[in-house]
Amino acid sequence: MHHINSFPGLKHFDATFSSVYVGRDTEKSQLLKKLNTENFVAILGPSGVGKTSFMQSKIIPILEKGYILRGINEWRIATLRPNRNLIRSLAHALSDVSFIKSDINDRIPPNLTSKFEDILYQNEFGILDIVEEYHLVEDKNLLIFIDHFDDVFRTSSSNPRELHAFLSRLEEVISQKAYPIKIIITLRNDRSYDQNTNFSKFGAISELINNSQFILSAFTLQDIISTLDVTSKKGSFVFDSEFYKL
């Protein structure tokens, strides 16, 4: 086997590799169907099963290509992975230039992340206030994708006030019906200790996760072979024919 060009290998796939991400078509259809009727989806699966790759290379590219929801085929997509400053990480995702701009000529106010951070801390409906003030859902759907959601408890254990504010802002979006805003999270379900000790303390978000679970199982052998085959045909790798017999 000889290397010709870039390929993620065991790392997660992103949109760059969507053309070589094959399989999971049934799961794709099921998740999109769920997204049509619910504001919130929690993708659960063990570590390394491919939750991030599934979102980044299968679901998000479909949305960006014009997936129609409620008669609207344009999307704004904010992506974040929780860190020690939960509210700031959310503010940063919502103020990202690629997310906030509607037109190439739009001027982005300075210190927008700090402004959003203040709004998210102080306003009961912080995300909705930002959406309203900056007209973020005019002729657009909005997706907030939070990867490795269980990290919110590990990274914010020393700041319960921030954790409460972060979860409250999300719950307010999930419970509303007026705006076309969707939230998808990924969650490792092999971390039973984290789930039992942390999620149980926050009844609302725990119930939302329980009611909106989407289980992502491991790739089948056929999916793996198909991925290798597509990759080979695109020239990323060349596999010896004996490799497929292993």
Side-chain angles (χ1 to χ4, degrees), residues 48-64:
V49 78
K51 301 179 293 296
T52 300
S53 297
F54 176 63
M55 275 300 300
Q56 296 281 18
S57 293
K58 198 75 173 181
I59 300 301
I60 289 178
I62 289 174
L63 302 183
E64 292 178 333

Side-chain angles (χ1 to χ4, degrees), residues 100-182:
I100 198 75
K101 290 183 74 170
S102 296
D103 185 86
I104 193 171
N105 296 317
D106 284 352
R107 298 186 63 182
I108 305 301
N111 303 317
L112 196 58
T113 298
S114 296
K115 178 180 179 179
F116 283 6
E117 189 173 3
D118 290 340
I119 292 173
L120 293 169
Y121 256 126
Q122 299 169 12
N123 296 19
E124 181 181 358
F125 298 98
I127 294 176
L128 300 181
D129 289 340
I130 290 171
V131 166
E132 187 70 32
E133 180 176 351
Y134 288 87
H135 313 289
L136 296 183
V137 291
E138 287 188 357
D139 299 322
K140 284 182 171 60
N141 298 301
L142 195 156
L143 170 66
I144 300 174
F145 170 47
I146 307 175
D147 201 14
H148 292 237
F149 185 80
D150 39 317
D151 282 349
V152 301
F153 301 104
R154 180 179 59 82
T155 60
S156 61
S157 57
S158 61
N159 194 341
R161 175 177 173 267
E162 179 160 18
L163 176 58
H164 180 269
F166 181 80
L167 295 178
S168 295
R169 298 301 86 84
L170 299 181
E171 291 163 10
E172 290 149 10
V173 170
I174 295 167
S175 63
Q176 60 81 39
K177 300 293 184 183
Y179 300 91
I181 306 174
K182 307 293 182 178

Side-chain angles (χ1 to χ4, degrees), residues 14 65 75 122 126 164 178 181 184 201 235 243:
D14 58 26
K65 288 177 182 177
W75 291 79
Q122 299 169 12
H164 180 269
I181 306 174
I184 298 179
K201 300 175 186 177
F243 180 81

Side-chain angles (χ1 to χ4, degrees), residues 6-236:
S6 168
F7 182 69
L10 295 178
K11 297 180 180 179
H12 73 262
F13 285 59
D14 58 26
T16 307
F17 299 100
S18 60
S19 63
V20 295
Y21 186 98
V22 297
R24 295 207 188 279
D25 290 324
T26 298
E27 292 95 329
K28 175 199 72 177
S29 298
Q30 291 171 341
L31 188 140
L32 292 175
K33 182 178 180 180
K34 200 172 182 68
L35 206 61
N36 271 279
T37 58
E38 301 180 24
N39 284 349
F40 177 63
V41 180
I43 301 176
L44 273 67
S47 301
V49 78
K51 301 179 293 296
T52 300
S53 297
F54 176 63
M55 275 300 300
Q56 296 281 18
S57 293
K58 198 75 173 181
I59 300 301
I60 289 178
I62 289 174
L63 302 183
E64 292 178 333
K65 288 177 182 177
Y67 181 77
I68 298 175
L69 187 67
R70 295 173 62 171
I72 302 172
N73 67 351
E74 291 192 51
W75 291 79
R76 295 182 191 270
I77 299 174
T79 299
L80 66 140
R81 179 171 178 174
N83 56 36
R84 291 186 180 276
N85 300 302
L86 293 174
I87 291 295
R88 188 164 186 82
S89 68
L90 179 56
H92 185 269
L94 295 175
S95 61
D96 186 88
V97 171
S98 63
F99 176 80
I100 198 75
K101 290 183 74 170
S102 296
D103 185 86
I104 193 171
N105 296 317
D106 284 352
R107 298 186 63 182
I108 305 301
N111 303 317
L112 196 58
T113 298
S114 296
K115 178 180 179 179
F116 283 6
E117 189 173 3
D118 290 340
I119 292 173
L120 293 169
Y121 256 126
Q122 299 169 12
N123 296 19
E124 181 181 358
F125 298 98
I127 294 176
L128 300 181
D129 289 340
I130 290 171
V131 166
E132 187 70 32
E133 180 176 351
Y134 288 87
H135 313 289
L136 296 183
V137 291
E138 287 188 357
D139 299 322
K140 284 182 171 60
N141 298 301
L142 195 156
L143 170 66
I144 300 174
F145 170 47
I146 307 175
D147 201 14
H148 292 237
F149 185 80
D150 39 317
D151 282 349
V152 301
F153 301 104
R154 180 179 59 82
T155 60
S156 61
S157 57
S158 61
N159 194 341
R161 175 177 173 267
E162 179 160 18
L163 176 58
H164 180 269
F166 181 80
L167 295 178
S168 295
R169 298 301 86 84
L170 299 181
E171 291 163 10
E172 290 149 10
V173 170
I174 295 167
S175 63
Q176 60 81 39
K177 300 293 184 183
Y179 300 91
I181 306 174
K182 307 293 182 178
I183 295 177
I184 298 179
I185 67 172
T186 64
L187 189 66
R188 289 161 282 195
N189 64 358
D190 51 359
R191 289 187 160 194
S192 57
Y193 174 80
D194 287 352
Q195 294 179 49
N196 293 335
T197 59
N198 292 314
F199 283 97
S200 60
K201 300 175 186 177
F202 298 90
I205 196 69
S206 179
E207 183 177 355
L208 287 167
I209 290 172
N210 286 334
N211 293 336
S212 304
Q213 291 186 16
F214 183 89
I215 306 298
L216 195 67
S217 57
F219 247 33
T220 65
L221 177 60
Q222 185 56 52
D223 285 334
I224 295 172
I225 292 174
S226 296
T227 300
L228 298 177
D229 188 49
V230 169
T231 306
S232 177
K233 288 178 179 177
K234 288 182 175 292
S236 297

